[in-house]
């Protein structure tokens, strides 16, 4: 089955066409992403009103291009999926309403996809990753360790008590005078910095739970930056490297705790999976590789372009849900907040199971 996916929850306007074959494997037929980074750069972060307007302007063209690149037309797709949350509500409304219009006119199924679920299922688009697996979801708005037991079936093992991991990267970039979005810039700066120069805290290290906290680390970066101001180029690089290393140490420790909690509750995970924009960070990917080896499990991380927000993961989550008989009515609501453990699972859809 061929599914069109639409993503508009934050600052990327994206559409993609994905195929799910009967054996459960997937293929990306097209994947078009338009970043709004330029529109928001002057403000140092995403401005919701600007984001929503930019989605309205761009979405039709992005969808047309995604269909064209895939060699498809609206008449030849089998279903349409849109991210229905969580995210900035203005943007979510734009994407979901567009998907509803397509579903209505074409009389094809609509799937209202949870953006976090889409990140979480994205590794199954690029290879065979059976359930259950341990997911590290690391994005601009979320930091979670999740047991993925099946499509729609998620149990959160750990989460952040304050800032999200991507947010910590973005705020650190801002504190040391770098641009937006901060993650990729901090990563680049860190490559030429000395990670041992600043003794930054490692919040939550050694705790038995699998939760995270990043606000203390961010404050420590701010205090160091103030202490040595004005910052030279080397100071900036050293601060970025020290910050990134602290994040990596924390993530490594928290994933150990998460995997310890996973096994007795859900059995041996088939893999450690990382997804979300921060999972495109190369130093973090290398650290996760070491965690997986020590934990004797397989590491699966989608390529960077599938870690940051994109339409292919939305289309794929739509296809996976459709294959389980999960579709949504045309009056489904967009949601600014939508915890992963509240998405519907196949056992919640009796009509689908009957058909
Ligand atoms: O998943 P995503 O594209 O959007 C959300 O759902 O939030 O994640 C965006 C976040 C931003 O905070 C961005 O700075 C961060 O991912 N990010 C990175 C890298 N690339 C993107 N953080 C660290 N290193 C990177 N290379
Ligand atoms: Zn995301």
């Amino acid at each position: 089955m061929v599914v069109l996916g639409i993503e508009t929850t934050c600052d990327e306007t994206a559409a993609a066409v994905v195929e799910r074959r009967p054996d459960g494997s997937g293929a990306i037929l097209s994947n078009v992403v338009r970043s709004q980074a330029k529109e928001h750069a002057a403000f140092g972060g995403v401005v919701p009103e600007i984001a929503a307007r930019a989605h309205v302007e761009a979405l039709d063209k992005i969808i047309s291009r995604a269909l064209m690149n895939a060699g498809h037309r609206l008449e030849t797709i089998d279903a349409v999926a849109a991210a229905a949350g969580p995210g900035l509500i203005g943007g979510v409304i734009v994407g979901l309403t567009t998907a509803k219009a397509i579903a209505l006119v074409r009389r094809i199924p609509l799937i209202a996809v949870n953006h976090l679920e889409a990140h979480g299922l994205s590794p199954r688009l690029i290879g065979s990753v059976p359930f259950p697996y341990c997911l590290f979801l690391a994005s601009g708005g979320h930091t979670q360790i999740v047991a993925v037991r099946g499509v729609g079936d998620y149990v959160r093992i750990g989460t952040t008590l304050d800032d999200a991991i991507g947010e910590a990267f973005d705020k650190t970039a801002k504190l040391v005078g770098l641009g937006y979005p901060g993650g990729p810039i901090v990563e680049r700066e860190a490559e030429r910095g000395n990670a041992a120069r600043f003794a930054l805290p490692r919040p939550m290290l050694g705790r038995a739970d699998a939760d995270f906290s990043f606000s203390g680390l961010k404050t420590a970066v701010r205090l160091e930056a103030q202490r040595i101001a004005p910052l030279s180029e080397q100071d900036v690089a050293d601060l970025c490297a020290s910050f990134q290393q602290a994040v990596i140490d924390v993530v490594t420790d928290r994933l150990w705790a998460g995997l310890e909690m996973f096994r007795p509750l859900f059995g041996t995970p088939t893999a450690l999976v990382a997804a979300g924009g921060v999972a495109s960070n190369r130093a973090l990917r290398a650290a996760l590789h070491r965690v997986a080896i020590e934990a004797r499990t397989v590491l699966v991380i989608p390529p960077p372009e599938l870690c940051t927000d994109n339409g292919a993961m939305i289309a794929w989550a739509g296809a996976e849900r459709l294959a389980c008989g999960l579709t949504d009515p045309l009056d489904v609501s967009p949601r600014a907040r939508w915890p992963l453990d509240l998405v519907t699972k196949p056992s919640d859809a009796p009509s689908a199971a009957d058909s």
Side-chain angles (χ1 to χ4, degrees):
M1 90 197 38
V2 174
V3 181
L4 170 67
I6 298 171
E7 159 61 36
T8 55
T9 62
C10 191
D11 61 345
E12 260 98 26
T13 313
V17 179
V18 158
E19 181 177 6
R20 186 181 184 281
R21 305 192 191 96
D23 65 0
S25 65
I28 300 175
L29 306 185
S30 67
N31 193 17
V32 181
V33 181
R34 182 193 175 274
S35 166
Q36 302 175 355
K38 278 205 187 89
E39 279 102 315
H40 301 291
F43 303 94
V46 180
V47 182
E49 177 66 24
I50 294 176
R53 284 171 190 272
H55 287 308
V56 171
E57 292 233 327
L59 187 55
D60 285 358
K61 284 181 225 101
I62 299 293
I63 291 174
S64 300
R65 201 174 319 151
L67 288 166
M68 197 180 73
N69 292 358
H72 273 271
R73 292 172 291 122
L74 281 181
E75 290 70 31
T76 60
I77 54 168
D78 300 311
V80 56
L88 301 173
I89 196 68
V92 176
I93 289 171
V94 174
L96 185 59
T97 308
T98 305
K100 286 179 179 179
I102 293 170
L104 183 67
V105 170
R106 278 280 348 274
R107 295 171 197 266
I108 53 175
L110 168 74
I111 305 105
V113 169
N114 179 299
H115 178 93
L116 306 178
E117 176 174 36
H119 275 303
L121 292 175
S122 61
R124 289 167 52 86
L125 168 57
I126 51 158
S128 164
V129 189
F131 304 115
Y133 54 85
C134 183
L135 167 68
F136 175 46
L137 179 61
S139 73
H142 296 87
T143 318
Q144 299 182 4
I145 301 175
V146 178
V148 180
R149 304 201 298 180
V151 173
D153 192 355
Y154 313 102
V155 181
R156 201 171 65 190
I157 298 175
T159 188
T160 180
L161 306 181
D162 40 59
D163 294 351
I165 186 168
E167 201 181 345
F169 271 92
D170 294 337
K171 286 180 176 169
T172 293
K174 215 170 172 176
L175 284 171
V176 299
L178 299 172
Y180 169 85
I185 311 177
V186 170
E187 174 176 12
R188 216 169 40 239
E189 289 292 320
E191 274 165 18
R192 58 179 193 87
N194 173 8
R197 175 159 164 212
F198 298 98
L200 299 175
R202 268 72 172 151
M204 315 293 274
L205 218 66
R207 281 173 51 140
D209 62 45
D211 289 332
F212 298 82
S213 165
F214 290 106
S215 74
L217 180 54
K218 173 193 68 193
T219 306
V221 171
R222 192 182 65 232
L223 294 176
E224 289 291 352
Q226 284 168 351
R227 190 174 62 80
I228 59 167
L231 302 179
S232 69
E233 281 186 10
Q234 195 56 48
D235 292 337
V236 169
D238 292 346
L239 271 170
C240 287
S242 301
F243 163 80
Q244 185 172 277
Q245 190 55 51
V247 169
I248 286 172
D249 289 351
V250 167
V251 167
T252 305
D253 178 79
R254 305 291 67 213
L255 281 176
W256 267 113
L259 286 164
E260 285 289 300
M261 289 168 71
F262 190 105
R263 288 189 194 93
L265 291 170
F266 311 108
T268 303
T270 62
L272 171 64
V273 164
V278 183
S280 59
N281 182 291
R282 285 185 297 274
L284 181 67
R285 290 166 87 100
L288 296 181
H289 194 64
R290 292 191 290 272
V291 172
I293 289 173
E294 276 181 47
R296 298 200 176 151
T297 189
V298 179
L299 177 70
V300 183
I301 313 181
E305 66 274 15
L306 287 184
C307 285
T308 47
D309 287 349
N310 64 87
M313 68 179 192
I314 306 297
W316 176 250
E320 290 246 67
R321 291 182 68 81
L322 185 59
C324 298
L326 292 166
T327 62
D328 293 276
L330 286 175
D331 63 354
V332 64
S333 297
R335 303 190 204 187
R337 298 178 66 82
W338 189 4
L340 198 44
D341 30 13
L342 294 186
V343 301
T344 51
K345 45 177 162 297
S347 56
D348 300 332
S351 58
D354 293 345
S355 63

